[in-house]
């Protein structure tokens, strides 16, 4: 994994040729073919960083700069050369400079000058304490000049010298006793099967191939014989959830069309459409005034009528 930040890439940078291409690599990039145009274009002013795996910056002028895991690199063009800057981490530089070119590598404590013509292939590492290590790699043929940023000290390292500057000081130069640069790639482990040697006290016999076939899953293997060769057969293991052959089982068939409709349990009812009508107003009933009952007037009787009534009451008439 690697990342790229563009710090000084304006709109006109698209017309400027890139410094190189950035590739991700898990192993030494010298053993891996990386076709041109398949990486990420890197322009002047870019800030590059590698994650858990190293990254390789293929320069357009030739050569490369390998960024070790958890390390960063700033790239800027400067005249005929490059200005590289790094912090705590490790780099591996491998390229050739012509007569007119000169590169500068800036660390937290030093200016490292690479002046052409020359071939450079070395590793440089810096820890959090400021200790700076330098280790020449195969093919390194030119000296490297170290200049203190906060001092006036200058040291020219021979092409074959491995050293460590403790605390970022030239006075602290000592021999390097640990690794410097990117960690080695993890080797690929391959398993090989070798036949077991035959006993020395027994004469070699013709190999016999014995194939064991049985329907019993727990049947024991036959005893081994001297010089016998076993044939192992890889077969897939198939699991079936069906019961054994000795146990009966039943299968129920359900016809789904005969099942009740649980989603629409109500009968289909035709919708009723209400027609809007004018409201009907019932006429006000006319109440008839009832006349008071007229009481029958008593018939006025005279004297003779009263006498007649008296005798009628006596004879019940």
């Amino acid at each position: 994994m690697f990342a790229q930040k563009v710090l000084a890439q304006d709109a006109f940078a698209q017309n400027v040729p890139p410094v190189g291409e950035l590739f991700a690599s898990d192993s030494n990039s010298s053993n891996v073919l990386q076709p041109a145009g398949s990486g990420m274009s890197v322009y002047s002013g870019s800030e590059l960083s590698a994650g858990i795996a190293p990254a390789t910056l293929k320069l357009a002028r030739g050569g490369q700069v390998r960024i070790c895991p958890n390390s960063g690199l700033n790239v800027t063009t400067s005249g005929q050369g490059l200005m590289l800057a790094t912090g705590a981490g490790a780099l591996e530089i491998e390229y050739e400079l012509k007569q007119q070119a000169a590169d500068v590598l800036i660390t937290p404590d030093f200016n490292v000058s690479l002046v052409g013509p020359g071939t450079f292939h070395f590793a440089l590492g810096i820890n959090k304490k400021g200790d700076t290590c330098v280790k020449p790699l195969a093919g390194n043929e030119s000296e490297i000049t170290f200049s203190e940023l906060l001092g006036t000290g200058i040291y020219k390292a021979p092409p074959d010298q491995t050293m460590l500057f403790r605390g970022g000081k030239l006075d602290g130069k000592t021999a390097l006793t640990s690794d410097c640069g990117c960690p080695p790639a993890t080797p690929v482990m391959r398993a090989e099967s070798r036949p077991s040697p035959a006993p020395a006290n027994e004469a070699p016999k013709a190999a016999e191939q014995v194939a064991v076939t049985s329907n019993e899953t727990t049947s024991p293997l036959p005893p081994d014989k001297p010089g016998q060769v076993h044939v192992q057969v890889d077969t897939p293991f198939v699991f079936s959830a069906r019961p054994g052959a000795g146990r009966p089982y039943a299968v129920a068939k359900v016809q789904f069309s005969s099942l009740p409709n649980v989603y629409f349990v109500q009968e289909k009812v035709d919708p009723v459409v209400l027609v809007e009508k004018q409201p009907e107003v019932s006429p006000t009933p006319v109440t008839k005034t009832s006349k008071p009952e007229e009481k029958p007037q008593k018939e006025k009787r005279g004297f003779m009528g009263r006498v007649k009534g008296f005798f009628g009451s006596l004879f019940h008439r």
Side-chain angles (χ1 to χ4, degrees):
M1 297 293 293
F2 61 87
Q4 176 183 7
K5 291 183 180 179
V6 179
L7 301 181
Q9 182 178 348
D10 298 331
F12 68 89
Q14 298 297 334
N15 299 326
V16 178
V19 178
E21 292 180 304
L22 186 65
F23 296 88
S25 58
D26 295 333
S27 59
N28 195 330
S29 57
S30 61
N31 298 331
V32 179
L33 289 178
Q34 296 169 333
S38 60
M40 180 185 297
S41 297
V42 177
Y43 293 87
S44 177
S46 298
E47 179 182 350
L48 313 177
S49 61
I52 58 176
T56 303
L57 173 60
K58 295 279 189 178
L59 299 175
R61 70 184 185 186
Q64 64 184 13
V65 178
R66 193 161 182 244
I67 307 172
C68 299
N70 303 318
S71 303
L73 177 68
N74 290 70
V75 183
T76 306
T77 56
S78 175
Q80 298 294 330
L82 294 176
M83 180 179 293
L84 309 176
T86 185
L91 301 173
E92 291 183 2
I93 293 179
E94 181 183 5
Y95 54 71
E96 181 180 358
L97 290 179
K98 298 181 180 180
Q99 181 70 34
Q100 300 84 0
D103 291 352
V104 177
L105 175 59
I106 302 176
T107 69
D109 300 298
F110 298 106
N111 271 345
V112 183
S113 300
L114 311 177
V115 182
T119 302
F120 301 91
H121 190 195
F122 64 93
L124 185 142
I126 306 164
N127 61 15
K128 297 181 179 180
K129 297 180 181 179
D131 299 340
T132 303
C133 67
V134 180
K135 179 182 179 181
L137 300 177
N140 188 52
E141 299 177 356
S142 302
E143 66 180 9
I144 307 169
T145 303
F146 288 84
S147 302
E148 292 181 347
L149 292 177
L150 301 179
T152 58
I154 298 177
Y155 181 81
K156 293 185 178 182
D160 57 348
Q161 186 176 8
T162 301
M163 68 199 80
L164 174 67
F165 300 106
R166 295 190 179 275
K169 299 294 184 180
L170 294 178
D171 296 340
K173 183 176 72 70
T174 182
L176 180 64
T177 58
S178 60
D179 294 333
C180 184
C182 299
T186 304
V188 179
M189 305 299 294
R190 296 181 179 179
E192 296 182 359
S193 58
R194 297 182 179 180
S196 57
N201 55 356
E202 294 184 3
K205 296 182 179 180
E208 298 179 0
Q209 295 184 355
V210 178
V212 179
T213 58
S214 175
N215 294 329
E216 297 292 336
T217 57
T218 59
S219 59
L221 297 176
D224 293 340
K225 297 180 180 180
Q228 176 178 331
V229 178
H230 294 277
V231 178
Q232 298 181 355
V233 180
D234 295 334
T235 58
F237 178 79
V238 181
F239 172 76
S240 177
R242 296 178 58 183
R247 298 174 56 187
Y249 62 93
V251 178
K253 295 184 179 181
V254 180
Q255 186 175 1
F256 289 95
S257 60
S258 62
L259 295 178
N261 192 340
V262 296
Y263 293 99
F264 301 94
V265 296
Q266 298 180 355
E267 296 181 358
K268 184 176 180 181
V269 180
D270 295 335
V272 178
V273 180
L274 299 178
V275 180
E276 185 177 358
K277 295 181 179 180
Q278 294 294 334
E280 297 180 359
V281 180
S282 59
T284 303
V286 179
T287 58
K288 296 181 179 181
T289 57
S290 59
K291 295 181 180 181
E293 296 182 359
E294 296 180 358
K295 296 181 179 181
Q297 295 181 359
K298 296 182 179 181
E299 184 180 0
K300 293 181 180 182
R301 299 179 181 180
F303 175 74
M304 292 302 294
R306 287 195 296 270
V307 172
K308 184 180 180 178
F310 173 76
F311 284 103
S313 61
L314 292 177
F315 296 101
H316 300 287
R317 288 183 179 177

